Amino acid sequence: MPSSHADIATENASRYLQQLCKHWAHKFPVEFDPTHGAIDLSLGRTVMDADASTLHITVSTDEAGSLERLESVVADHIKRFAFREELTFDWKPATAA
């Protein structure tokens, strides 16, 4: 399953994690708490973990061609929530556990 990962430096990681999960909860299966969230989008799965200084995001999809689109959709939504700060998304291939 193609997947990628990004670590976004922000002191608002928990806030953005919860906002994104609440935003999509009406449309997709979502589970979350202040430090962990998972969203099953039609494009693929997004898993987020928040700590005091970083939002860790892993996206995965069944179709390799959809990975870049999923990265973009997730990043664009979080950037909208974070309009007061400039966030950097540097997506890298995720390593298998």
Side-chain angles (χ1 to χ4, degrees):
M1 177 175 283
S3 59
S4 59
H5 180 85
D7 294 317
I8 298 90
T10 177
E11 294 179 2
N12 297 302
S14 178
R15 177 188 300 167
Y16 301 146
L17 178 155
Q18 292 178 73
Q19 278 183 291
L20 189 63
C21 288
K22 288 175 186 175
H23 175 75
W24 276 328
H26 70 283
K27 198 170 182 182
F28 302 106
V30 171
E31 59 184 64
F32 72 97
D33 61 36
T35 60
H36 178 79
I39 307 165
D40 290 316
L41 301 162
S42 54
L43 283 170
R45 184 167 173 83
T46 299
V47 177
M48 299 175 288
D49 291 290
D51 59 38
S53 62
T54 308
L55 178 59
H56 309 276
I57 305 173
T58 301
V59 294
S60 55
T61 180
D62 290 332
E63 299 176 32
S66 298
L67 189 59
E68 191 173 306
R69 175 81 178 119
L70 182 56
E71 291 170 351
S72 177
V73 167
V74 170
D76 288 348
H77 276 76
I78 292 174
K79 285 177 182 177
R80 274 188 251 151
F81 299 141
F83 63 91
R84 290 183 183 90
E85 64 180 310
E86 185 72 29
L87 300 181
T88 302
F89 290 77
D90 184 17
W91 295 102
K92 296 183 176 2
T95 55

